[in-house]
Amino acid sequence: MTGSGAHGGGRRTMGTHPPDGRPSAVDRVVATVRSGVRDGRFAPGQRLVEADLMRELGIGRNTLREALSRLSSDGLVTIAPHRGASVRRLTRTEVEQLYELREVLEGLAARLAALHINTPGHRDRLLAALDAVQETARTAEMPQYIDENLRFHRTVVEMSGHTRLLELVDQLQLQTFRVQFRSAAAHDRTGMRGFSVSEHQSLAEAILAGDAEQAENIMRTHLRHTGSSILQLPDSDFA
Amino acid sequence: MTGSGAHGGGRRTMGTHPPDGRPSAVDRVVATVRSGVRDGRFAPGQRLVEADLMRELGIGRNTLREALSRLSSDGLVTIAPHRGASVRRLTRTEVEQLYELREVLEGLAARLAALHINTPGHRDRLLAALDAVQETARTAEMPQYIDENLRFHRTVVEMSGHTRLLELVDQLQLQTFRVQFRSAAAHDRTGMRGFSVSEHQSLAEAILAGDAEQAENIMRTHLRHTGSSILQLPDSDFA
DNA sequence: AGGACGAGATTGTAGGACAATCCAGCGAAG
DNA sequence: CTTCGCTGGATTGTCCTACAATCTCGTCCT
């Protein structure tokens, strides 16, 4: 999500603001940096110097600082006193811990999703998401496949009906996106896709059957697999 | 942990080593508002007007806005566009969801704490925390008892060695503090203290025994009890 | 060479300005 | 009398400038 979006020539004459229908300047900056981190325009460890970003994005310092502050709360960048912001680089331990969190949180989400499976529209949404994953698993390139993959997970969390949980999981997914990408690229020829797809399928079946216990278990197992596959990456992929 | 900005907010100014002596102005404001919400100086729903707080705290608008922004990411205040910040009021559903989160997160913490029980110093810290709870349960007034109670939970989470988990749980505890307080006050004469204390004791025993499974179960059960006791509060305590 | 020193870069904070937006109160219309 | 629309004040969103504090790094002196 947060697709490339059409943000044309950024530095229009300041002064005029979009007619509120839409994101505040801070929101736009946050979204821009987020997607920038996602698609590698900002590399992990890279420093984000205020003056540069101000020029680049055509915004004032307050706005930028508020955006960076928010990104830091989300864990996507770190801010060191008097040294400024930089794109966060995760250590191996941190990745491990993030996956421990995803395990319990998305496990809860799967459980709740199973409990709410009879909410109108839920069945269709889940089936559609599963279909999309299976389709892109066969045909699409890696970036798209990963995207669809995350969307499937996100759908499950949305179906939990737990707004706070959705926020937390979104954060965690964003933070783990880069390493997840590298891991997926590295394991792609070892049949990982098929394995992952089959886990997704069993998960969907459990949820559709309303089997909360089973859904939670599958989700947790699945994330444990994903996590440990990521942890096999060489040291160069961590801080 | 009342007041004293010992743990500066999110992962913002946490250099690995403390090269800077004092908390930044933003940190001080965040800590001030936090403790203000805790001890009722700021009531839930109350609006936090920038001009007032600027005068009251003697700081500039940038600093204040950055602090409010961070507090909003922590979920302690809400910021509505063009309406500013106000102390967050939780709905019944939100409280329920927060306790679902605490259940899985602190459950994980208890499990990890049990696994790490042999780390030097851990046994003593846990025993000290348990002792403090039991002591204040007998002798102290409600605010102090609740404080010690939270400190006990926090100790368990610290012993998990999972820094991100600690941050999340801290957030959740802060958000639920208010209702937790009212609930405790309401149930105090129904022997709730003794019940809670005995659960804490079994939890400590399970952790000390290194029984991760049992520790997680007790923690989760305990939080489920706490949560449902809070949900018995009348509607007037919710948004 | 090694360490002290200073110049430039960068951030932290204050404070002013102005447009956009919200809100309460008032008056007109039904 | 109630409802609707308008206006003016209050408040926020964003920009800007300024300056002190702090960090970085190259230079110079011993």
Side-chain angles (χ1 to χ4, degrees):
Chain A
M1 44 240 73
T2 317
S4 32
H7 47 281
R11 60 194 99 40
R12 189 67 282 150
T13 19
M14 58 301 195
T16 57
H17 315 304
D20 177 69
R22 264 322 208 190
S24 74
V26 176
D27 289 330
R28 285 196 320 262
V29 175
V30 168
T32 301
V33 175
R34 255 193 210 137
S35 68
V37 169
R38 263 186 69 113
D39 55 20
R41 208 165 34 208
F42 295 118
Q46 176 176 343
R47 281 189 65 182
L48 302 174
V49 179
E50 295 181 357
D52 296 343
L53 284 181
M54 277 173 59
R55 217 176 330 105
E56 196 171 321
L57 302 175
I59 55 167
R61 197 139 88 101
N62 310 29
T63 307
L64 175 60
R65 284 177 64 81
E66 204 171 308
L68 289 177
S69 174
R70 199 183 299 178
L71 287 165
S72 129
S73 291
D74 286 357
L76 206 67
V77 310
T78 47
I79 298 185
H82 293 283
R83 296 218 34 229
S86 49
V87 180
R88 184 165 192 177
R89 277 198 103 194
L90 297 173
T91 66
R92 205 180 277 272
T93 304
E94 284 170 332
V95 171
E96 199 176 345
Q97 294 190 337
L98 288 179
Y99 268 87
E100 281 177 347
L101 291 179
R102 284 191 65 178
E103 197 182 315
V104 298
L105 291 176
E106 299 193 38
L108 171 62
R111 162 184 296 275
L112 294 175
L115 292 177
H116 299 153
I117 189 56
N118 287 323
T119 304
H122 275 203
R123 289 199 131 81
D124 291 340
R125 282 177 59 195
L126 184 59
L127 285 171
L130 178 63
D131 217 48
V133 178
Q134 294 179 327
E135 177 62 21
T136 54
R138 269 197 310 280
T139 66
E141 292 305 311
M142 184 48 72
Q144 232 137 10
Y145 169 59
I146 291 195
D147 247 43
E148 215 52 64
N149 212 313
L150 284 183
R151 211 188 308 272
F152 176 77
H153 277 251
R154 196 170 195 280
T155 300
V156 173
V157 184
E158 282 173 355
M159 290 181 9
S160 74
H162 196 309
T163 54
R164 186 74 56 121
L165 184 54
L166 179 59
E167 287 171 22
L168 286 177
V169 171
D170 265 349
Q171 276 187 208
L172 296 179
Q173 286 189 349
L174 241 175
Q175 290 178 64
T176 54
F177 180 82
R178 287 183 311 270
V179 278
Q180 192 173 348
F181 182 85
R182 299 192 70 83
S183 166
H187 290 79
D188 200 17
R189 27 202 150 77
T190 71
M192 188 217 71
R193 281 199 196 184
F195 190 61
S196 177
V197 164
S198 89
E199 287 187 329
H200 282 172
Q201 172 141 7
S202 341
L203 174 59
E205 284 167 4
I207 293 177
L208 288 170
D211 189 338
E213 210 67 35
Q214 179 82 345
E216 175 169 4
N217 281 335
I218 295 178
M219 177 65 101
R220 292 186 63 134
T221 304
H222 171 56
L223 282 170
R224 212 169 310 143
H225 289 164
T226 309
S228 56
S229 121
I230 287 177
L231 289 174
Q232 289 173 10
L233 285 172
D235 283 342
S236 59
D237 285 313
F238 300 95
Chain B
M1 61 182 269
T2 312
S4 84
H7 67 47
R11 65 230 51 78
R12 175 187 165 67
T13 305
M14 65 162 204
T16 35
H17 304 293
D20 80 319
R22 252 152 277 24
S24 75
V26 177
D27 289 330
R28 285 196 315 266
V29 175
V30 169
T32 301
V33 175
R34 259 197 206 135
S35 67
V37 170
R38 265 186 67 111
D39 55 20
R41 206 168 37 219
F42 296 118
Q46 175 176 344
R47 280 188 66 180
L48 301 175
V49 178
E50 295 181 357
D52 294 343
L53 284 181
M54 277 173 59
R55 219 177 329 105
E56 196 171 321
L57 302 175
I59 56 169
R61 198 140 89 104
N62 300 356
T63 306
L64 176 59
R65 283 177 65 83
E66 200 172 313
L68 289 177
S69 170
R70 207 187 299 178
L71 287 165
S72 132
S73 324
D74 285 0
L76 204 67
V77 311
T78 48
I79 298 185
H82 291 283
R83 297 216 33 230
S86 49
V87 179
R88 182 160 193 179
R89 277 197 105 197
L90 298 172
T91 66
R92 206 181 277 271
T93 303
E94 282 170 333
V95 171
E96 199 176 344
Q97 294 190 337
L98 287 179
Y99 267 87
E100 280 177 349
L101 290 180
R102 284 192 64 178
E103 196 182 315
V104 297
L105 291 176
E106 298 193 39
L108 171 61
R111 162 185 295 276
L112 294 175
L115 291 177
H116 298 154
I117 189 56
N118 287 323
T119 304
H122 275 202
R123 289 199 133 80
D124 291 341
R125 282 177 58 197
L126 185 58
L127 285 171
L130 179 63
D131 217 48
V133 178
Q134 296 179 325
E135 177 63 21
T136 54
R138 270 197 309 279
T139 67
E141 291 306 311
M142 184 49 71
Q144 231 139 7
Y145 170 61
I146 291 195
D147 246 45
E148 215 54 63
N149 213 314
L150 283 182
R151 211 190 307 274
F152 177 77
H153 277 251
R154 195 170 196 277
T155 300
V156 173
V157 184
E158 282 173 356
M159 289 181 14
S160 75
H162 195 310
T163 54
R164 199 85 162 76
L165 184 54
L166 179 58
E167 288 171 19
L168 286 178
V169 172
D170 265 351
Q171 276 187 208
L172 296 178
Q173 287 189 349
L174 243 174
Q175 289 177 63
T176 53
F177 181 82
R178 199 79 210 140
V179 276
Q180 194 173 346
F181 181 84
R182 298 193 70 84
S183 165
H187 290 79
D188 200 18
R189 29 203 150 74
T190 72
M192 187 217 71
R193 281 199 196 185
F195 190 60
S196 175
V197 164
S198 89
E199 287 187 331
H200 283 172
Q201 173 142 5
S202 342
L203 173 60
E205 283 167 6
I207 293 177
L208 288 170
D211 189 338
E213 211 66 36
Q214 179 81 347
E216 176 170 2
N217 281 334
I218 295 178
M219 178 65 101
R220 292 185 64 134
T221 304
H222 171 56
L223 282 169
R224 213 169 309 143
H225 289 164
T226 309
S228 55
S229 120
I230 288 177
L231 289 174
Q232 289 173 11
L233 284 171
D235 283 342
S236 58
D237 285 312
F238 301 96

